[in-house]
Amino acid sequence: MSARSALPVIAVAAAVAVLAGCSSTTSGGKKGSGGLELVSSGTLKTCTHLPYAPFQVKKDGKVVGFDVDLVDLVAKDLGVKQEIVNTPFEGIETGQDFTIRKCDLAAAGMTITPERDKVMDFSDPYFNATQALLTKKGKPFKKVEDLKGKKLGYQKATTGGIYAKKHGKGVELVEFEDLGLLLTAVKSGQVDAGINDNGVLFDYVKQNPDTAVTAEFNTGEHYGIGVRTGNDVLRKKINAAIKKAKSDGTYDRIYKKWFGTTPQS
């Protein structure tokens, strides 16, 4: 290597060292017992994407929901407070939000997939889900294929979108940035049907009786809480909190609070 080419490398290395030193200071993250490091000391930052009722939704100026209550258990065990960070879902599922240290974990009704597992690590599964079809009440659509020549809406960067693209030959697919926009499009007739996870669609139908879930598709999905790749300390803390909640009845109580019933075994 010539002296000329070595100088930029040395400069870059020095800059990286400076940035590395700054990152730990500006993030506010401090290692506690067991090597746990949080983005901001005393706070467990949770990335999510609103709205996604009943998992996370804003009510009376506060974000509440099934996922929120579950992560509160983790925060309690860590002796910190949970802070919700509302961010586009694409940044969550690509792992970008962990890379830029926007949050410690992601709880967003997020299905564990091989693609997402490459850019983050997941907790043990905490919720069983599947895809479902939402329509105006009285519509005959029972599967995606029934919508040939019709409009089917899906939420960007979701497994519902993947399913729609795989099975929607001849169907006009319409992408929406978030769940709220998708649900409004179905209710207003902008699209003939919408596809998303069954839990959120059944919750919507309760409040909107002019809509109906006409089909569920056995996709065998499981939700997981995401953490930065390699953050085994936090991942294990999350797993321990989920396991404890399921064993002492707390999980069932939270589930019934948000879904009106206890989970099927």
Side-chain angles (χ1 to χ4, degrees):
M1 181 184 294
S2 68
R4 183 180 180 129
S5 63
L7 285 173
V9 174
I10 293 170
V12 169
V16 170
V18 171
L19 287 173
C22 290
S23 64
S24 62
T25 302
T26 55
S27 68
K30 293 182 180 179
K31 287 187 178 180
S33 60
L36 177 67
E37 184 177 0
L38 300 176
V39 171
S40 296
S41 182
T43 303
L44 184 64
K45 290 193 173 184
T46 300
C47 274
T48 195
H49 181 58
L50 301 172
Y52 206 70
F55 295 92
Q56 49 273 139
V57 64
K58 183 174 282 189
K59 289 185 177 180
D60 300 322
K62 184 180 179 181
V63 179
V64 296
F66 180 80
D67 282 359
V68 179
D69 284 356
L70 199 61
V71 175
D72 270 342
L73 300 178
V74 180
K76 183 179 179 181
D77 286 349
L78 296 177
V80 298
K81 293 290 186 181
Q82 179 182 187
E83 179 184 326
I84 304 295
V85 181
N86 185 28
T87 183
F89 188 71
E90 190 172 17
I92 295 173
E93 74 139 10
T94 59
Q96 180 185 5
D97 287 343
F98 294 122
T99 301
I100 63 175
R101 303 280 282 161
K102 184 179 282 190
C103 53
D104 300 295
L105 60 82
M110 180 165 53
T111 299
I112 301 170
T113 68
E115 293 75 22
R116 292 170 183 168
D117 200 35
K118 292 176 183 176
V119 296
M120 72 184 80
D121 289 341
F122 279 100
S123 70
D124 293 336
Y126 70 90
F127 190 89
N128 297 329
T130 191
Q131 293 303 308
L133 204 63
L134 178 76
T135 70
K136 293 281 285 184
K137 197 166 186 177
K139 296 294 183 180
F141 311 121
K142 300 295 183 183
K143 53 186 184 294
V144 172
E145 291 83 354
D146 291 343
L147 287 154
K148 189 173 182 180
K150 305 288 185 180
K151 292 182 178 181
L152 172 63
Y154 68 91
Q155 183 183 349
K156 183 179 181 179
T158 61
T159 50
I162 295 172
Y163 188 93
K165 292 170 186 176
K166 183 177 180 180
H167 297 274
K169 186 176 180 180
V171 178
E172 184 179 346
L173 301 179
V174 183
E175 182 178 273
F176 293 91
E177 185 66 30
D178 60 45
L179 177 66
L181 294 173
L182 171 60
L183 298 175
T184 299
V186 174
K187 188 176 176 67
S188 67
Q190 183 182 343
V191 295
D192 298 283
I195 187 170
N196 210 288
D197 294 358
N198 56 349
V200 293
L201 296 189
F202 278 116
D203 183 75
Y204 182 75
V205 168
K206 289 178 186 177
Q207 308 300 324
N208 297 270
D210 57 334
T211 63
V213 174
T214 58
E216 292 183 80
F217 313 118
N218 187 21
T219 52
E221 298 177 42
H222 305 282
Y223 289 171
I225 295 173
V227 300
R228 174 175 47 81
T229 299
N231 193 354
D232 286 341
V233 176
L234 180 55
R235 183 178 60 82
K236 289 176 181 178
K237 294 285 188 181
I238 296 168
N239 285 343
I242 293 173
K243 184 177 180 180
K244 180 183 176 183
K246 287 187 174 183
S247 65
D248 67 12
T250 302
Y251 180 91
D252 284 359
R253 288 195 293 273
I254 294 173
Y255 194 104
K256 189 171 184 179
K257 171 184 174 182
W258 293 104
F259 297 97
T261 183
T262 53
Q264 296 180 352
S265 57

